[in-house]
Amino acid sequence: MTRYLSGINDELRPGQIAELAKSTLPAFQVQFPRGNMPKNRDLYFRGLILWFVKGGRWGRWYQGILPARYRRSGPMTAEGILQVITLHPHNQRWLFGLDRPVVFPRWTGVLPGGVFQISRPIKSLYRYRVLSRLNPEDN
């Protein structure tokens, strides 16, 4: 049985983030092939949003109620910050991208809040491209 040590689950209890922050294991690496890496203050990567609190834990229990729409969102050649992300296995389906992603990998499910995921759990290194705009509403 494989043990996945990097990443977060779709349910968290208080204190788990502090424990995760102590880990030296990589969650993902990012390359900016266009050379337009944002300033450090703008390096916020969107991944999972835990919308609900129940019994002292945060979670995303809407899964199954609000289905993801699987689609291709547009060309990676559009204006924006292109990232090539190598995601380490976390045995979940969500992907990460610089906030706010506007073009997702092919056959990606887009969930409320701009979260995106693929149809199967990530059990090995997974490389993909994402296009983001820091202020997409301005474009």
Side-chain angles (χ1 to χ4, degrees):
M1 178 173 172
T2 304
R3 186 167 180 221
Y4 301 96
L5 298 174
S6 64
I8 59 173
N9 293 320
D10 56 2
E11 181 179 305
L12 288 173
R13 295 182 187 281
Q16 284 182 298
I17 292 291
E19 285 300 312
L20 182 62
K22 293 177 187 176
S23 173
T24 59
L25 295 172
F28 58 91
Q29 287 94 22
V30 182
Q31 297 171 321
F32 296 93
R34 294 182 182 166
N36 58 347
M37 182 176 146
K39 295 178 181 176
N40 284 344
R41 70 171 185 254
D42 295 323
L43 288 175
Y44 174 81
F45 286 85
R46 181 170 291 260
L48 179 65
I49 297 175
L50 302 177
W51 294 94
F52 301 101
V53 178
K54 180 168 65 173
R57 60 185 189 217
W58 295 278
R60 61 178 214 146
W61 294 288
Y62 67 80
Q63 186 176 5
I65 298 169
L66 300 173
R69 296 182 334 259
Y70 286 87
R71 62 180 170 83
R72 184 169 179 95
S73 57
M76 291 288 176
T77 56
E79 276 191 49
I81 300 168
L82 180 64
Q83 307 124 74
V84 176
I85 298 177
T86 303
L87 183 59
H88 287 249
H90 56 68
N91 203 32
Q92 302 293 333
R93 299 184 308 145
W94 59 79
L95 305 175
F96 294 86
L98 187 65
D99 198 25
R100 291 270 186 173
V102 293
V103 180
F104 311 97
R106 186 171 189 207
W107 300 112
T108 298
V110 181
L111 298 166
V115 172
F116 54 109
Q117 68 181 25
I118 60 174
S119 60
R120 64 191 182 284
I122 297 165
K123 296 184 179 196
S124 61
L125 287 178
Y126 183 71
R127 189 172 206 161
Y128 58 97
R129 296 170 3 134
V130 177
L131 188 74
S132 300
R133 294 194 184 118
L134 296 179
N135 296 306
E137 61 278 355
D138 295 340
N139 295 312

